[in-house]
Amino acid sequence: MAGEGRVTLHGTWASPYSKRVELALKVKGIEYEYVEEDLMNKSSLLLQYNPVHKKIPILVHNGKPIVESMVILEYIEETWSDGPRLLPEDPYERAKIRFWATFLHQQVFEVLVLVLKTDGEAQAKAMEQLHEKLKLLEEGIKGSFPGGSPAVNGENMGLLDIVVCSYFGPYKVHEEVLGLKYLDSEKYPLVTSWVKSLVQYPAVKESTPPHEKSVALVRYFREKALQSPAGVL
Amino acid sequence: MANDGEVKLFGTWASPFAFRVELALKLKGVQYEYIQEDLTDKSSDLLKYNPVHKKVPVLVHRGRPIAESQVILEYIDETWKTDYPLLPQDPYERAMARFWARFIDEKFLSTSWQAACSSSEAEREKLIEEALGYLKVLEEQQHKRLLGGNDTIGFLEICSSFVAYWIIVIQEAAGVDLLTESKFPNLWKWAVEFQGCPAIKQKLPLPEKDRLVAFFSAMIEKIKRYK
């Protein structure tokens, strides 16, 4: 029966994809069990639940696994249809949110990761691309959401808020490791103020790992990538 | 506004993404105006309606644009709630349809297109291996009827038209071997059925093969040349 039954989330503390699902579950007030996975040593359960991609996050509901964070978010919205909404009712508003969520998911994160894994000219190039995407996002929000932040109502985070928060929420961590700022409030006033207000949400604060822990991990990831000629973890 | 329910589809005859949207509109019985775009000379309307990606398809409904084929399909399903649902009712089934549609686009389509357009032998070989891996996954799933037959052309089947037809065209245009009958008998069988499926043929015939092969040959050549 929809909305009932045991919920387990298999994730990792540092993954933005895992974070998204956590935030959605918290917004909806769904009780769940959390299982921290070790990606260097994948559990047989992980491999059983996600044989195609062998990745987290995995949501298990009534014993059935759902994978791919965006698919999971839509599943959560449709299954727990009482209570706070992750998507608005109007199909056009929903389409706008899905469009921007897809844009972020498919185009923005890989550029951010590239900035984190490179230095010198390669990094400068990646940074340029990141700024292009941020500019598109800034203009897009102005156009698509003239009323401001796309929170579904004034009170809870919606699907797009969750996606934005999952990528840019840790901006201070990124900026500290990079020694560079990218979330420029002068160039991107709407995006910056949006991210800054999102990180203040109690659900986000609750699920944000300690700053130093995140900095250490991102720093480690960057150093490892810079050492290896292939550049990628 | 002239016509409150007015629907326009910006597309091109060769695009697998535009085909999806057009097929969905036909299956739903929605009236629309089709605007054929020349991708080498994009209209100011297209650029206005899709400034982020500058691509087709774009659906404009009541003057408001929607881009990205899967987003458009969901919009169509939610707006024209006739007795032809594109997605199943059950949230878990919907999740499965969305999962596989994303797999097809984000993994198989993206990799096979990169393989087709690659001008480096080594890189192409690697991408082909990867694409074959994805086909293997689809082949195994097809044992369990992942992709429906003649009566069940829904969201996932519409998106899978790339696998049923366009990849066969593109692999010929690019001179690579991906979806072949010998390697993937289940998928091949399903692809042949899909191509001949009356439910689709009657609504929206697939673009003619020779014409498509010529189109993609030229496009791939151009892409390789500018690398």
Side-chain angles (χ1 to χ4, degrees):
Chain A
M1 189 173 279
E4 289 175 15
R6 203 167 133 203
V7 178
T8 309
L9 168 61
H10 294 252
T12 63
W13 67 269
S15 159
Y17 304 104
S18 183
K19 186 67 58 219
R20 288 174 185 176
V21 179
E22 264 189 276
L23 288 174
L25 291 167
K26 285 188 195 289
V27 166
K28 289 281 199 187
I30 298 164
E31 279 195 34
Y32 65 99
E33 190 192 317
Y34 178 79
V35 175
E36 178 75 24
E37 289 284 343
D38 176 0
L39 299 182
M40 295 291 120
N41 190 15
K42 293 178 180 176
S43 68
S44 55
L45 207 55
L46 190 163
L47 300 174
Q48 178 197 325
Y49 282 145
N50 192 356
V52 174
H53 298 301
K54 305 176 174 51
K55 286 180 173 175
I56 54 92
I58 302 164
L59 189 80
V60 186
H61 181 216
N62 290 326
K64 294 196 285 195
I66 301 111
V67 305
E68 287 300 292
S69 62
M70 299 306 298
V71 175
I72 297 172
L73 257 46
E74 298 253 14
Y75 175 83
I76 288 173
E77 171 72 341
E78 290 170 356
T79 305
W80 288 271
S81 48
D82 305 326
R85 302 189 65 110
L86 298 179
L87 283 165
E89 266 195 71
D90 176 70
Y92 187 67
E93 296 301 316
R94 292 161 76 91
K96 279 195 282 189
I97 284 175
R98 285 177 177 137
F99 174 85
W100 287 107
T102 304
F103 173 74
L104 282 160
H105 185 80
Q106 287 180 354
Q107 296 209 12
V108 177
F109 194 55
E110 57 177 16
V111 177
L112 181 54
V113 170
L114 207 54
V115 172
L116 289 167
K117 315 196 295 213
T118 53
D119 59 9
E121 210 183 300
Q123 190 188 55
K125 206 167 157 227
M127 205 53 168
E128 222 181 274
Q129 286 179 332
L130 180 61
H131 280 296
E132 264 172 46
K133 307 289 179 191
L134 284 169
K135 187 159 175 263
L136 281 168
L137 189 59
E138 179 76 17
E139 285 165 16
I141 302 171
K142 234 185 266 171
S144 288
F145 308 106
S149 164
V152 170
N153 55 55
E155 318 240 310
N156 68 268
M157 295 175 78
L159 186 140
L160 187 56
D161 300 298
I162 288 172
V163 172
V164 167
C165 192
S166 71
Y167 284 149
F168 295 122
Y171 74 96
K172 284 195 175 156
V173 171
H174 305 148
E175 291 178 347
E176 184 171 326
V177 172
L178 289 170
L180 288 167
K181 271 187 75 167
Y182 65 84
L183 208 59
D184 185 334
S185 59
E186 272 180 40
K187 286 194 194 144
Y188 320 113
L190 291 176
V191 176
T192 308
S193 62
W194 186 13
V195 172
K196 286 186 172 177
S197 71
L198 288 175
V199 299
Q200 296 304 319
Y201 274 79
V204 176
K205 282 184 153 175
E206 253 172 55
S207 50
T208 299
H211 180 79
E212 287 316 315
K213 192 178 179 194
S214 295
V215 168
L217 181 71
V218 176
R219 195 161 266 153
Y220 168 77
F221 167 80
R222 176 173 170 74
E223 274 157 26
K224 199 149 179 218
L226 289 175
Q227 280 163 28
S228 125
V232 67
L233 254 183
Chain B
M1 197 155 288
N3 180 351
D4 207 37
E6 187 180 73
V7 179
K8 290 188 187 181
L9 171 58
F10 289 78
T12 112
W13 66 272
S15 162
F17 305 106
F19 180 84
R20 291 176 183 181
V21 175
E22 210 181 352
L23 180 58
L25 291 170
K26 292 269 190 201
L27 289 167
K28 289 277 196 186
V30 176
Q31 304 267 27
Y32 61 95
E33 183 194 339
Y34 189 95
I35 291 120
Q36 187 79 236
E37 283 285 333
D38 173 0
L39 298 182
T40 62
D41 186 19
K42 293 172 183 177
S43 73
S44 55
D45 269 348
L46 178 64
L47 299 175
K48 172 180 79 174
Y49 286 137
N50 192 0
V52 175
H53 300 298
K54 305 178 173 55
K55 286 181 175 177
V56 294
V58 177
L59 189 78
V60 182
H61 183 213
R62 298 184 176 133
R64 303 186 304 184
I66 304 121
E68 291 298 293
S69 64
Q70 289 193 21
V71 176
I72 299 172
L73 290 179
E74 297 245 20
Y75 175 82
I76 289 172
D77 208 26
E78 290 171 359
T79 303
W80 290 279
K81 291 188 213 272
T82 61
D83 34 26
Y84 198 104
L86 298 179
L87 278 165
Q89 285 286 76
D90 173 68
Y92 181 75
E93 297 303 318
R94 291 164 77 88
M96 291 303 105
R98 287 174 177 138
F99 171 81
W100 287 110
R102 274 167 209 270
F103 178 83
I104 285 170
D105 278 3
E106 289 173 15
K107 299 292 177 190
F108 178 62
L109 189 153
S110 134
T111 305
S112 56
W113 180 246
Q114 282 178 64
C117 298
S118 173
S119 41
S120 143
E121 189 68 49
E123 185 195 55
R124 181 166 54 243
E125 284 313 306
K126 205 168 155 231
L127 289 164
I128 289 174
E129 275 313 299
E130 200 182 324
L132 288 172
Y134 298 135
L135 279 173
K136 189 158 173 270
V137 172
L138 291 172
E139 173 75 9
E140 283 162 15
Q141 291 298 318
Q142 195 46 18
H143 269 298
K144 307 173 215 164
R145 289 267 301 189
L146 167 70
L147 301 162
N150 283 309
D151 309 321
T152 49
I153 310 296
F155 178 86
L156 176 55
E157 288 70 30
I158 293 171
C159 293
S160 70
S161 53
F162 181 83
V163 182
Y165 190 58
W166 266 268
I167 192 55
I168 293 164
V169 166
I170 287 167
Q171 67 191 16
E172 187 177 321
V176 299
D177 261 342
L178 289 169
L179 176 51
T180 58
E181 188 175 4
S182 52
K183 282 201 210 115
F184 307 105
N186 287 322
L187 272 182
W188 184 264
K189 180 162 177 279
W190 164 80
V192 171
E193 278 169 12
F194 186 99
Q195 290 171 36
C197 170
I200 297 175
K201 268 185 156 168
Q202 282 158 17
K203 296 287 179 187
L204 184 67
L206 289 161
E208 203 252 303
K209 189 167 181 233
D210 290 341
R211 205 178 159 212
L212 262 187
V213 172
F215 176 90
F216 280 106
S217 287
M219 192 181 192
I220 289 166
E221 251 331 291
K222 198 173 171 194
I223 292 172
K224 283 184 174 173
R225 225 183 307 140
Y226 287 102
K227 279 210 167 156

